[in-house]
Amino acid sequence: MSATIAVLSQKGGTGKTTMVRSLADVFGRLGVDVLAVDADPQGNLSDYFDTDPNAHPTLGEVLMGQVRAADAVHGRVIPANLQLSEAELSLSGKIGREVTLRNALMDLKRNRELILIDCPPTLGLLTVNALVASTHAILSTEAQYFSLQGMEQAVQVLDLAHDSLNPQLELLGVCLNIANMRTRHARQTLEALRERFGDKLFRTVIRQSIAYAESAERAVPILEYRPDRGSDYLSLASEILRRLGKQELLEPLDTLSAEVVPAGASGAYSRA
Ligand SMILES: Nc1ncnc2c1ncn2[C@@H]1O[C@H](COP(=O)(O)OP(=O)(O)OP(=O)(O)O)[C@@H](O)[C@H]1O
Ligand SMILES: [Mg+2]
């Protein structure tokens, strides 16, 4: 499929890392050759993949030009740790600072079908690098404390990356995440997003569930830990495949859903 998707948001804690981990799992189960890239010095994605905390080298070394990206792949992830903050700092004074990740991933892109990049909570240099290295971006947003103004900041950074350095970049979609659709606030947020983003808003809403924190704690993907909850990500994956024009994977996805989700247990919320 050869796509690189950055998952970003205007603020912290909107479920980006969980989205990257869950989608990497779903697409991996479909036989897609997926690589996840942890572009956040917090290293949450690396932990969720159960990567050895001492794994070496990491994305920090890659961005500092010390190793090739291929040498930093551990299983299905290029991990990160606090050293990535140092790399970001040292990058900030350099020419070509925004294109470093793109250049580093160039070789890998040739033989990977899908790369998913988990962005940090800020719209700084690491997020810009992720956007410049990507063909697509997904904006994740939470209903709680929702602000359209905040969303606009993320859109501005996306537009900037598109206009100045990466004309290929496309907003794949906007996803309402960690949502409790029983609350009026969540429903109003969804409506505001629909008005602003129209068809770019994914119909799938990722429902709020404590199962995600538990699955992260156990370093086990949601489909394995609570398949009924993971069904939200199966539904999101299906929309992503359609938007990427990968219809041939929809049937295997249906088969996977039938296998892993107990009949009638999903109850996924989707805008009619
Ligand atoms: N659908 C969900 N329902 C409830 N909790 C969730 C859901 N998705 C993620 N979480 C939890 O919310 C918290 C934040 O999620 P996550 O780490 O994925 O967000 P993030 O946007 O990557 O955060 P950061 O900006 O700090 O990197 C975590 O504790 C996670 O387990
Ligand atoms: Mg995160």
Side-chain angles (χ1 to χ4, degrees), residues 9 11-19 40 42 44 48 118-122 140 177-179 206-214 216 232-233:
S9 63
K11 61 191 263 310
T14 61
K16 299 177 288 295
T17 299
T18 306
M19 180 175 288
D40 182 355
Q42 295 180 104
N44 295 338
Y48 211 158
D118 182 26
C119 292
T122 53
S140 172
N177 208 335
I178 320 186
I206 307 295
R207 291 168 299 170
Q208 185 180 53
S209 164
I210 189 68
Y212 288 97
E214 292 168 354
D232 290 357
Y233 276 106

Side-chain angles (χ1 to χ4, degrees), residues 5-237:
I5 305 175
V7 177
L8 77 156
S9 63
Q10 80 285 12
K11 61 191 263 310
T14 61
K16 299 177 288 295
T17 299
T18 306
M19 180 175 288
V20 169
R21 180 65 191 99
S22 307
L23 290 175
D25 178 45
V26 172
F27 290 124
R29 285 168 187 251
L30 295 181
V32 175
D33 186 11
V34 195
L35 174 72
V37 177
D38 192 349
D40 182 355
Q42 295 180 104
N44 295 338
L45 183 70
S46 312
D47 294 341
Y48 211 158
F49 270 93
D50 207 14
T51 313
D52 179 346
N54 298 315
H56 181 87
T58 61
L59 189 65
E61 283 93 354
V62 174
L63 291 185
M64 292 210 257
Q66 293 166 356
V67 297
R68 292 180 323 134
D71 297 329
V73 176
H74 303 265
R76 271 195 179 160
V77 66
I78 296 185
N81 54 34
L82 278 178
Q83 203 230 347
L84 184 57
S85 294
E86 278 172 47
E88 185 183 20
L89 262 180
S90 84
L91 216 60
S92 64
K94 292 193 179 138
I95 290 176
R97 57 183 177 258
E98 294 98 349
V99 298
T100 310
L101 183 61
R102 171 162 75 187
N103 292 342
L105 293 180
M106 205 77 89
D107 268 359
L108 276 178
K109 277 185 170 184
R110 279 188 207 115
N111 41 30
R112 294 279 171 171
E113 285 176 276
L114 178 65
I115 299 179
L116 296 167
I117 308 179
D118 182 26
C119 292
T122 53
L123 295 169
L125 188 53
L126 288 169
T127 297
V128 171
N129 261 273
L131 288 172
V132 172
S134 297
T135 54
H136 299 85
I138 295 178
L139 271 176
S140 172
T141 187
E142 198 190 1
Q144 224 177 357
Y145 315 119
F146 171 75
S147 105
L148 258 182
Q149 211 181 348
M151 288 294 282
E152 290 312 325
Q153 285 169 10
V155 172
Q156 270 171 21
V157 173
L158 217 147
D159 286 346
L160 206 69
H162 172 273
D163 295 347
S164 56
L165 292 157
N166 186 9
Q168 204 193 355
L169 181 66
E170 197 187 310
L171 174 63
L172 191 61
V174 175
C175 183
L176 182 59
N177 208 335
I178 320 186
N180 178 355
M181 296 314 291
R182 284 187 295 269
T183 67
R184 202 156 65 108
H185 180 53
R187 293 194 298 272
Q188 283 170 344
T189 301
L190 191 65
E191 189 49 35
L193 287 172
R194 198 189 55 75
E195 269 175 31
R196 168 63 179 87
F197 292 101
D199 287 348
K200 287 288 178 188
L201 179 64
F202 287 111
R203 303 179 86 84
T204 307
V205 168
I206 307 295
R207 291 168 299 170
Q208 185 180 53
S209 164
I210 189 68
Y212 288 97
E214 292 168 354
S215 95
E217 205 175 300
R218 289 163 176 77
V220 165
I222 193 72
L223 263 193
E224 198 175 316
Y225 181 65
R226 275 284 299 275
D228 54 330
R229 289 296 161 169
S231 66
D232 290 357
Y233 276 106
L234 290 168
S235 157
L236 181 62

